[in-house]
Amino acid sequence: MTVRVRIAPSPTGNLHIGTARTAVFNWLFARHHGGQFILRIEDTDQERSRPEFTQNILDGLTWLGLTWDEGPFFQSQRLALYEQAVRTLLDKGLAYYCYCTEDELEAMRSAQKARGEAPRYDNRHRHLTPAEQAAFVAQGRQPVVRFKIDDDRTISWTDLVRGTVTWQGSDLGGDMVIARRAPVGEIGQPLYNFVVVVDDIDMGMTHIIRGEDHIANTAKQILLYEALGAAVPQFGHTPLILNQAGQKLSKRDGVTSISDFRKMGYLPQALVNYMTLLGWSPPDSTQERFTLAEAAAVFGFDRVNRAGAKFDWDKLNWLNGQYLHDLPVPELTDLLIPYWQEAGYAFDPVADRAWLERLAALLGPSLSRLDEAVAMSQLFFSETVTLDGEAQAQLQQDGAAAVLTAILAAIETRGLDAETASGVLKEVTKSTGLKRGMVMRTLRAALTGAVHGPDLTQAWLLLHERGTDRPRLQAALAVAQPA
Ligand code: GLU
């Protein structure tokens, strides 16, 4: 048997981290077994589906490296197939028209509530006589199509993650709507639980791997497989992704869509690595860093947890930093340029390339996300620098003015490279008789406006090339030595 699995997102929002993680598990499972991974866009909800969300989903999956073998298939283009399947169930007597109005259904639910019962459809139109049906039609009522669910059915399956799962037919809410209201003789818009099964049968899915919020759907869907005379695939329900408070990760937790993670400067290889760890652990549980292909080689549902997976920003940032620090400088520079452009920094990506690469090399080791480079590099692009409190205090120290004067004098007559820069610092330390630390801190405060930061010589050289070191030293001298 060739494994065939799918990811079936609804284009009613951007690609969500939960959906992407489900895609990761499906992809790993398919690749592990040399099977196929299929992409299906579930766009039957025409009011809420949008083409830009479909694009966002395709872009997100592509960016993460979750390549698909077939599709994307669009449910909106397959309506004839669903209609035919609804008619099949009607013909077999496994589905029927229900003419209840919304008011009648509401009254039914209120009465159930008043009796302390769970709301459900009481199957009242399951056995309408032809005369009763004709009367409803004559009243102009439009029916839905309901699929029969027997209360005394026990539904059981061996879940790839959760082991044996058992549901009682009576807990599924009564006969379920599979097609919305439509004029008599027509089949209305088919609903999720139905079309998903028709598609999964038609597309030959062998395993359905999705979030555990679909467990109740699975019980209903198994009944539909049987009714449609198809083999029931295997199911695996993956744990939900939780926030730090242990609740399902939602929009309220801020960033949840893959495009947001991308904007924040996470690398796809880091994000996908992290998502793999959300609910799965590799056989060598100390291994935290791996590629998708490496994970696929050892992936299996025996190592997928049942418990929800807490989303840990610190761990994601750490992993992302690891990947960032390993990037070759030209690649890192290519990734940073759009952030610098977006920030409005003045530079020419071609003419200034060598300078930009040196800046990327300087900042790279401190980054855990690409967007952090915006704040860190501002001082290199700007003409002037604002002194923070510590830098101001540093420039008030005895000897600061002497240091700045001596440095300015030393660079008056010569060009600056790594060697001359360290020569100048030695000379100034000697000529002023001050400690080297004092000289360095003063220079750093003058050039960068802070007393901590990246390698001082490299920073100085970068500023020197932009011609901003001398004016900053002069401005700092005015602070150190007020007129
Ligand atoms: N469209 C469904 C969703 O996005 C798919 C669920 C499934 O995999 O069956 O949740």
Side-chain angles (χ1 to χ4, degrees):
M1 175 189 69
T2 305
V3 163
R4 286 176 63 81
V5 293
R6 80 317 191 262
I7 185 73
S10 306
T12 53
N14 288 334
L15 178 61
H16 186 271
I17 178 101
T19 310
R21 201 279 315 260
T22 302
V24 169
F25 283 4
N26 275 285
W27 190 96
L28 293 172
F29 188 69
R31 295 292 171 260
H32 181 80
H33 291 284
Q36 274 116 34
F37 174 60
I38 286 113
L39 173 59
R40 183 171 72 227
I41 301 293
E42 305 213 315
D43 58 349
T44 47
D45 184 344
Q46 283 151 4
E47 270 157 45
R48 292 172 59 225
S49 297
R50 301 248 184 289
E52 57 270 30
F53 293 140
T54 298
Q55 196 55 50
N56 181 279
I57 291 166
L58 301 186
D59 291 347
L61 292 172
T62 306
W63 180 68
L64 290 169
L66 300 170
T67 45
W68 54 92
D69 305 301
E70 291 173 28
F73 298 109
F74 292 86
Q75 287 189 326
S76 56
Q77 294 166 8
R78 299 166 57 82
L79 294 170
L81 182 72
Y82 311 137
E83 195 177 313
Q84 195 192 342
V86 173
R87 292 198 190 278
T88 303
L89 293 187
L90 285 166
D91 291 348
K92 285 190 187 175
L94 298 172
Y96 61 91
Y97 291 108
C98 163
Y99 296 85
C100 289
T101 63
E102 290 306 325
D103 287 346
E104 286 167 353
L105 293 171
E106 193 43 52
M108 182 196 315
R109 283 191 286 263
S110 310
Q112 288 162 342
K113 225 168 146 193
R115 294 195 297 271
E117 296 166 11
R120 69 194 305 269
Y121 175 64
D122 62 7
N123 303 348
R124 60 176 67 173
H125 283 192
R126 203 193 253 207
H127 301 292
L128 291 181
T129 63
E132 286 168 327
Q133 288 207 32
F136 286 134
V137 173
Q139 287 171 22
R141 293 192 183 200
Q142 295 194 357
V144 299
V145 179
R146 286 188 186 267
F147 171 65
K148 292 180 183 170
I149 296 180
D150 286 331
D151 279 354
D152 52 11
R153 251 305 295 266
T154 301
I155 305 128
S156 186
W157 72 93
T158 309
D159 197 277
L160 294 166
V161 179
R162 314 176 73 81
T164 303
V165 181
T166 303
W167 274 77
Q168 208 46 51
S170 51
D171 290 335
L172 295 176
D175 293 343
M176 80 187 213
V177 178
I178 57 173
R180 278 194 220 274
R181 239 171 252 295
V184 173
E186 287 175 32
I187 300 292
Q189 193 192 2
L191 294 182
Y192 162 72
N193 268 311
F194 181 68
V195 293
V196 91
V197 173
V198 174
D199 276 341
D200 286 337
I201 295 171
D202 186 62
M203 296 178 184
M205 294 304 142
T206 56
H207 298 76
I208 308 297
I209 298 153
R210 57 187 173 195
E212 71 174 33
D213 43 342
H214 283 287
I215 287 189
N217 289 331
T218 295
K220 295 176 185 169
Q221 291 177 14
I222 286 176
L223 297 176
L224 282 165
Y225 279 96
E226 292 173 2
L228 291 165
V232 180
Q234 276 199 269
F235 289 92
H237 291 92
T238 56
L240 297 180
I241 303 177
L242 308 175
N243 63 18
Q244 281 308 309
Q247 297 141 345
K248 186 177 168 182
L249 195 72
S250 75
K251 284 217 173 96
R252 273 171 311 222
D253 295 298
V255 188
T256 47
S257 74
I258 296 301
S259 44
D260 289 339
F261 283 95
R262 182 176 183 176
K263 261 186 240 135
M264 286 168 77
Y266 289 102
L267 296 177
Q269 56 273 42
L271 187 56
V272 96
N273 183 158
Y274 180 65
M275 284 195 289
T276 307
L277 290 168
L278 278 174
W280 178 74
S281 50
D284 169 5
S285 58
T286 60
Q287 194 192 357
E288 304 204 277
R289 234 183 110 172
F290 40 74
T291 62
L292 272 178
E294 285 163 355
V298 293
F299 184 81
F301 279 96
D302 50 330
R303 304 193 61 83
V304 172
N305 291 329
R306 286 181 196 207
K310 263 201 187 153
F311 195 90
D312 181 348
W313 285 99
D314 291 339
K315 182 145 184 191
L316 172 61
N317 289 337
W318 173 81
L319 253 181
N320 200 55
Q322 300 292 305
Y323 280 94
L324 272 176
H325 303 162
D326 282 358
L327 282 184
V329 168
E331 219 174 292
L332 177 62
T333 310
D334 288 341
L335 291 170
L336 289 175
I337 284 173
Y339 287 87
W340 288 327
Q341 282 171 329
E342 170 97 18
Y345 295 158
F347 65 93
D348 180 329
V350 179
D352 297 335
R353 179 73 195 191
W355 184 84
L356 294 170
E357 287 198 1
R358 284 173 39 221
L359 178 59
L362 178 65
L363 303 178
S366 323
L367 293 176
S368 60
R369 287 192 343 225
L370 291 167
D371 67 343
E372 292 164 352
V374 169
M376 281 185 203
S377 52
Q378 204 224 349
L379 76 103
F380 293 96
F381 288 101
S382 60
E383 286 291 318
T384 55
V385 73
T386 311
L387 305 174
D388 71 14
E390 282 180 309
Q392 297 213 14
Q394 177 63 33
L395 295 176
Q396 308 301 326
Q397 301 235 341
D398 285 346
V403 168
L404 296 170
T405 309
I407 294 173
L408 275 164
I411 61 172
E412 193 66 37
T413 50
R414 55 190 135 170
L416 204 68
D417 59 21
E419 213 174 304
T420 37
S422 86
V424 165
L425 291 175
K426 270 194 203 119
E427 255 173 63
V428 170
T429 308
K430 206 162 163 206
S431 70
T432 56
L434 293 163
K435 290 230 165 68
R436 188 176 158 78
M438 169 68 190
V439 173
M440 304 277 279
R441 272 198 305 281
T442 303
L443 176 62
R444 186 185 286 284
L447 292 178
T448 71
V451 294
H452 307 287
D455 181 86
L456 181 58
T457 309
Q458 288 305 319
W460 187 9
L461 293 174
L462 284 167
L463 292 168
H464 185 75
E465 256 183 75
R466 298 272 285 193
T468 50
D469 62 336
R470 207 183 302 261
R472 288 184 191 187
L473 290 164
Q474 276 154 352
L477 184 56
V479 174
Q481 207 180 40

